[in-house]
């Protein structure tokens, strides 16, 4: 099949179904995208030949099945994880990758890490997973008066859903909420199951991630103080190496870490 | 009461900070009932200003000590504020930190209060409270106190995920000089007891799945580097034996932080030997992940790790007959020995070369340090033994191109 282009700018709703629908349409109309824009985070839409695609579960499903046929379930998950990356080129990378996956003989292409796009896809997914791993550590819960544990996060990538399994097995006996304040999307656990939630208003102070004084459990400030004290006392002055500390824990993550923001 | 805990935390975290191990990996404790798991591999919750991972609440039960080891801030002859937790305080603190996801668990060590048995019993009590009263399934790393009754050490092993006994000084002769109240027997007998009990429990569990686990995340130890005159060769040889014989999971190396400068038995250091410490970690990695034997890294004629380059590069320069390594044909082990190529890259190369010839572009993408690797490989751009540089020429170029080698403390 011949695909012409690239001419068209596609926009979609930011979901993986939306992106797969774009891929489906591009194949159907044989017209490769010049750009694919997710409308999720208030993207500026440039002027030009724009095709707005509404996500269609049917068509997305066909792309999904195609992916599994030509690779496997694991590879589909890899694509889904990579799609959560907020890096600008991700959508186009996924397009380039899928174009090749669908053009080549079954089961060969996706294993070839010497192919640039395969490698980049694996790397993109790896970066997302790395951030998930980091946030297994960087999430900071605060206890509320009604004994719920809540945390604000602001990660680079859209990972809040991927955090749920870890915390579900770690704190199975408490209600907890992890909330991405920038994307306004959270996961809430009620000791039975995990739900996606969107909060009204500002439950968290945006510069510190703290919940309001009235909502905090009485011992909350005390334990935060203890933690800050602990952080300061384990430092070894003679070994100071801020550069290394920053490379493991970049400054952009500090605002919701009480030991670093010190408010 | 709250103020008191704050003060104790300040003193007893400060006193514990020279113990460098922090890893919380390698256990699997479910969360069937109760709270927490010790499953995830080495989660860091924060990083100290000196760039070390904070994973566990690393703290001393008390900094009181009846001993007088020269290299230790907590020795009895130092005049400093002393404190001790109660088991209840420490268990409560751990739980509250854990619930807020500040930590993966507890790393509990202690000065020796009254007697080794008494101290070990206190530590066990903290762990018992956590496991039984709070139903805590998170990670617990405990020190086995040298000289404590084997029964108490056994109990500790049934409560903790990891146990450690610090050797501290890498030769017995020097240990006797710096810590006259200790000897290698007080260190190695609990260590051997632990590795024996671990083996036993593993065998038992093959027969009965419900048999109790003993220190499922294994044991580790720490060696202080630079407080005594042992060479790197002696240290690596010791470490290699510990991995092999005692089946240790980790050996940690701690550049001596010059405390107690009044004690004339200690060397006068301006600052901790950080570069040396880093080179030892690199050498340790070579033994654990790169299939190197200690006597390939150093030998009696070359007993000291070069400060100016990583030990793999030094090895390659001493063994030019083993290179260049052909990336399209060589075995995984051979590729691992190329300076600048890490474990992940080596795996990718071996798994993917059937798709085509490996080239510079691929290597760069994988993060291979080409500036080093290029002298030691054959690949698409280097099809035959074209570079005729000898070891000393390569050395010259590489040392020139990495002027900051002494400051840069990354692994490979
Ligand atoms: S026994 Fe431990 S705490 Fe006591 S002085 Fe020696 S090293 Fe320090």
């Amino acid at each position: 099949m011949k695909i012409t282009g690239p001419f068209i700018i596609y926009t979609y709703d930011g979901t993986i179904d939306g992106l797969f629908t774009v891929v489906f349409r591009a194949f159907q109309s044989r017209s490769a995208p010049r750009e694919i824009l997710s409308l999720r985070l208030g993207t500026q839409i440039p002027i030009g030949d724009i095709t707005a695609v509404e996500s269609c579960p049917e068509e997305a499903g066909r792309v999904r099945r195609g992916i599994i046929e030509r690779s496997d379930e694991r590879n589909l998950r890899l694509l889904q994880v990579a799609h959560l990356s907020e890096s600008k080129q991700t959508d186009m990378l996924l397009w380039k990758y899928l174009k090749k996956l669908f053009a080549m003989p079954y089961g060969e292409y996706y294993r070839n890490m010497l192919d640039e796009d395969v490698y980049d896809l694996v790397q993109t997914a790896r970066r997302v997973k790395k951030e998930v791993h980091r946030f297994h550590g960087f999430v900071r819960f605060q206890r509320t008066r009604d004994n719920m544990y809540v945390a604000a996060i602001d990660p680079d990538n859209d990972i809040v859903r991927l955090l749920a399994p870890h915390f579900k097995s770690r704190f199975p006996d408490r209600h907890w909420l992890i909330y991405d304040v920038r994307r306004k999307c959270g996961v809430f656990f009620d000791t039975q199951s995990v739900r996606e939630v969107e909060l009204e208003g500002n439950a968290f102070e945006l510069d510190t991630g703290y919940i309001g004084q009235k909502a905090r459990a009485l011992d909350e400030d005390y334990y935060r103080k203890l933690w800050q004290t602990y952080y300061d006392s384990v430092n070894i002055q003679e070994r100071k190496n801020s550069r290394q500390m920053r490379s493991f824990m970049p400054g952009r993550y500090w605002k919701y870490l009480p030991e670093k923001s010190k408010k | 009461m709250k103020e008191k805990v704050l003060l104790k935390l300040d003193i007893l975290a400060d006193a514990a900070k020279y113990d460098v191990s922090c890893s919380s990996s390698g256990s699997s404790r479910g969360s069937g009932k109760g709270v927490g798991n010790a499953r995830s591999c080495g989660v860091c919750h924060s990083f100290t200003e000196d760039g070390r991972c904070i994973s566990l609440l690393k703290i001393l039960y008390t900094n009181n000590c009846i001993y007088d080891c020269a290299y230790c801030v907590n020795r009895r002859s130092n005049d400093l504020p002393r404190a001790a937790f109660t088991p209840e305080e420490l268990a409560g603190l751990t739980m509250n930190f854990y619930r807020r996801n500040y930590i993966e668990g507890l790393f509990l060590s202690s000065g020796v209060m009254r007697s080794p048995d008494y101290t070990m019993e206190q530590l066990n009590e903290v762990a018992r409270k956590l496991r039984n009263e709070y139903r805590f399934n998170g990670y617990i790393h405990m020190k086995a106190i040298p000289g404590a009754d084997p029964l108490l050490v056994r109990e500790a092993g049934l409560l903790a995920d990891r146990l450690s006994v610090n050797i501290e000084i890498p030769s017995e002769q020097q240990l006797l000089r710096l810590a006259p109240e200790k000897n290698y027997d007080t260190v190695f007998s609990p260590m051997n007891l632990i590795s024996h009990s671990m083996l036993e429990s593993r065998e038992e569990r093959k027969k009965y799945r419900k048999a109790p686990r003993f220190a499922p995340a294994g044991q580790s130890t720490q060696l202080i580097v630079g407080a005594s005159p042992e060479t790197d060769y002696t240290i690596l040889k010791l470490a290699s034996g510990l991995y092999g014989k005692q089946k240790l999971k980790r050996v940690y190396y701690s550049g001596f932080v010059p405390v107690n400068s009044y004690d004339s038995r200690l060397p006068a250091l301006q600052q901790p030997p950080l570069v040396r410490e880093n080179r030892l970690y690199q050498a340790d990695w070579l033994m654990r992940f790169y299939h190197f034997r200690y006597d390939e890294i150093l030998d009696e004629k070359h007993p000291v790790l070069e400060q100016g380059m990583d030990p793999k590069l030094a090895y390659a320069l001493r063994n030019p007959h083993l290179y260049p390594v052909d990336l399209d044909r060589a075995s995984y082990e051979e590729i691992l020995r190329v300076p600048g190529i890490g474990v992940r890259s080596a795996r990718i190369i071996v798994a993917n070369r059937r798709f085509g010839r490996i080239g510079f572009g691929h290597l760069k993408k994988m993060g291979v340090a080409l500036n080093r690797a290029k002298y030691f490989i054959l690949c698409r751009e280097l099809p035959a033994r074209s570079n005729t540089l000898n070891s000393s020429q390569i050395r010259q170029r590489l040392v020139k191109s990495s002027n900051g080698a002494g400051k840069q403390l990354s692994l490979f």
Side-chain angles (χ1 to χ4, degrees), chain B residues 130-327:
Chain B
L130 278 168
R131 295 285 192 229
N132 301 338
E133 278 172 42
Y134 291 93
R135 314 210 58 82
F136 175 71
N137 285 323
Y139 199 91
I140 299 180
H141 177 167
M142 267 206 288
K143 275 289 164 51
I145 304 294
D149 190 297
L151 281 176
L152 292 172
V153 175
R154 276 206 57 100
E155 197 191 347
L158 295 172
L159 291 161
D161 293 276
R162 172 170 288 184
L163 288 181
S164 59
V165 192
N166 281 2
I167 297 174
E168 308 290 21
I169 301 300
S171 71
E172 179 163 34
Q173 187 201 3
Q174 292 298 323
L175 181 72
L176 291 171
R177 198 170 65 87
L178 296 174
E181 291 139 320
K182 293 184 180 167
N183 59 51
Y184 264 25
D185 185 53
T186 58
V187 179
F188 277 92
S189 46
M191 210 179 239
N192 291 331
L193 172 73
I194 293 165
S195 60
H196 181 76
S197 306
M198 277 165 48
L199 260 172
E200 222 174 46
S201 136
R202 209 164 302 147
E203 286 305 311
E204 286 289 299
R205 286 174 61 83
K206 277 186 199 150
K207 286 182 247 156
Y208 324 98
R209 271 189 40 241
K210 288 259 143 86
R213 287 166 186 277
F214 189 94
Q219 66 169 325
S220 61
T221 191
Q222 167 171 288
L223 299 172
I224 298 177
V225 177
S228 48
E230 294 84 359
T231 62
D232 296 332
Y233 174 69
T234 309
I235 293 174
L236 287 185
K237 187 173 173 184
L238 175 61
S240 163
L242 292 167
Y243 287 130
K245 211 162 134 239
Q246 275 82 10
K247 299 271 174 281
L248 256 60
K249 275 274 156 53
R250 281 300 299 273
V251 174
Y252 292 92
Y253 308 88
S254 174
F256 178 56
V257 179
V259 293
N260 309 337
S261 52
Y262 60 85
D263 194 318
S264 60
R265 286 171 296 174
L266 294 168
L269 299 178
Q270 289 309 307
Q271 43 189 319
L274 295 182
V275 177
R276 184 176 176 205
E277 177 192 295
N278 185 54
R279 295 289 176 230
L280 279 166
Y281 273 113
Q282 291 177 321
D284 187 89
W285 274 59
L286 291 184
M287 296 197 290
R288 289 188 302 137
F289 303 115
Y290 288 78
H291 308 234
F292 275 83
R293 289 195 325 261
Y294 76 95
D295 54 359
E296 291 177 307
I297 303 170
L298 292 175
D299 52 46
E300 260 151 27
K301 273 188 263 138
H302 307 90
V304 177
L305 293 167
E306 291 201 45
Q307 303 259 315
M309 66 177 67
D310 74 72
K312 189 153 80 165
L313 179 57
Y315 170 84
L317 292 177
R318 265 190 287 122
N319 295 282
H321 59 285
L322 300 176
Y323 302 88
V325 168
D326 183 349
L327 297 187

Side-chain angles (χ1 to χ4, degrees), chain A residues 108-117 119-120 122-123 126 133-143 149 165-174 217-246 248-249 254 257-260 262, chain B residues 1-3 5-6 9-11 13-15 17-18 20 31 34-52 54 56-59 92-93 96-104 254-255 257-259 271-272 274 277 344 348 352-358 362 365-367 407-409:
Chain A
E108 267 302 302
Y109 173 63
Y110 76 110
R111 289 186 210 275
N112 179 5
M113 297 262 287
L114 301 189
D115 179 274
E116 206 181 21
D117 295 328
Y119 196 88
D120 287 348
V122 171
Q123 275 306 94
R126 243 178 121 226
H133 183 69
R134 272 181 158 161
F135 271 82
H136 287 163
F138 293 166
V139 164
R140 293 285 177 271
F141 287 112
Q142 305 158 64
R143 192 157 79 95
Y149 287 79
H166 172 82
F167 288 102
K168 185 176 156 189
S169 75
R170 176 149 296 190
F171 303 116
D173 57 343
R174 288 289 189 276
L218 294 175
D219 61 3
E220 185 52 36
D221 292 353
Y222 168 63
Y223 281 108
R224 186 197 308 144
K225 178 94 191 29
L226 285 178
W227 172 241
Q228 290 166 334
T229 306
Y230 176 70
Y231 181 81
D232 291 340
S233 350
V234 287
N235 179 40
I236 300 178
Q237 202 49 43
E238 294 89 332
R239 302 180 58 116
K240 194 169 162 75
N241 187 347
S242 307
R243 216 188 57 186
Q244 184 159 329
M245 181 268 285
R246 275 168 189 279
F248 290 129
M249 191 167 68
W254 292 5
L257 298 172
E259 70 272 26
K260 297 307 291 179
K262 298 280 157 60
Chain B
M1 139 88 191
K2 281 187 170 180
E3 283 306 304
V5 173
L6 186 68
L9 178 70
D10 196 6
I11 294 174
D14 185 85
K17 69 188 176 188
Y18 299 106
V20 289
S31 64
V35 45
N37 51 15
R39 215 172 348 211
S40 35
C41 49
V43 175
C44 293
H45 288 253
S46 196
F47 290 87
T48 58
E49 292 289 341
D50 48 78
R52 286 170 308 141
I54 300 182
L56 305 171
L57 169 60
K58 180 158 60 181
I59 199 146
L93 187 62
N96 273 289
F97 275 16
Y98 192 73
R99 285 275 186 210
R100 288 170 176 77
N101 204 44
Y102 296 164
I103 53 170
E104 285 296 291
S254 174
V257 179
V259 293
Q271 43 189 319
L274 295 182
E277 177 192 295
R344 179 168 180 269
I348 296 179
N352 287 278
R353 55 193 178 185
R354 65 195 166 101
F355 294 111
R357 283 211 86 176
I358 306 286
H362 302 131
K365 257 189 188 287
M366 291 173 209
K407 275 177 266 155
Q408 237 175 349
L409 294 182

Side-chain angles (χ1 to χ4, degrees), chain B residues 372-387:
Chain B
R372 264 172 293 160
K374 68 180 174 201
Y375 299 108
F376 304 99
I377 55 173
L378 299 182
C379 65
R380 187 160 65 204
E381 288 81 355
L382 298 168
R385 182 186 265 282
S386 52
N387 69 67

